[in-house]
Amino acid sequence: MLRSYISALLLGTVLLSHAALGATLTLQRVVSPIDIKNPIQVAAPAGDTDRLFVLDRQKGEIYIQNRTTGNISTTPFFALPTELFAKGVVTQNAFSFVFAPNFATTGKLHVSFINKLDDLQVVEVRVGADPNLVDPG
């Protein structure tokens, strides 16, 4: 019930903000080749009109949807390292992400998650040589 309420609230916020800007919003159902369990955020960096980034909270992974074809990548753009779960550093999966204002030049974004002390922790990661994958280092 709470999830439905939050989803409706978020959708209402998006619709109102687009209406206020005089923009047209088109919703489209996407069939994914992967099983996104709990998509909680969709975003795109400034100026990127080709890709949408979808966060699956349950898996702690971010996937890319190609806006032209509608296809969603089968390889995650970002995944919380499994060793963080094994060491108990991460107790819950990814909570949100945000692109740096200069993402196009720096490739930096920030991902938040809940750590073992039940505190919100934010990490900075950077895109690697492949613009569709975060550098694992």
Side-chain angles (χ1 to χ4, degrees):
M1 176 71 168
L2 180 60
R3 183 182 299 175
S4 297
Y5 174 75
I6 291 172
S7 296
L9 182 61
L10 290 173
L11 179 58
T13 302
V14 169
L15 292 174
L16 287 174
S17 64
H18 273 65
L21 295 173
T24 301
L25 177 66
T26 303
L27 298 178
Q28 174 185 353
R29 181 174 171 83
V30 175
V31 178
S32 171
I34 57 169
D35 188 16
I36 297 179
K37 299 284 186 194
N38 192 355
I40 60 166
Q41 183 181 352
V42 176
D48 191 336
T49 58
D50 299 327
R51 304 176 297 172
L52 284 176
F53 295 75
V54 181
L55 172 62
D56 184 334
R57 182 175 186 206
Q58 185 170 339
K59 294 181 180 179
E61 297 172 340
I62 300 171
Y63 293 91
I64 296 175
Q65 178 192 13
N66 180 303
R67 286 184 171 180
T68 304
T69 65
N71 293 336
I72 295 180
S73 60
T74 54
T75 302
F77 167 73
F78 169 82
L80 284 170
T82 53
E83 60 266 13
L84 292 180
F85 291 100
K87 293 177 182 177
V89 174
V90 177
T91 59
Q92 296 183 30
N93 288 335
F95 186 70
S96 67
F97 68 97
V98 64
F99 296 100
N102 55 354
F103 176 80
T105 56
T106 65
K108 291 181 183 178
L109 67 146
H110 299 89
V111 180
S112 66
F113 58 89
I114 304 299
N115 67 21
K116 66 181 176 183
L117 301 174
D118 284 335
D119 292 328
L120 182 67
Q121 185 167 339
V122 179
V123 295
E124 180 180 273
V125 294
R126 187 181 302 243
V127 173
D130 180 342
N132 293 318
L133 296 173
V134 165
D135 184 359

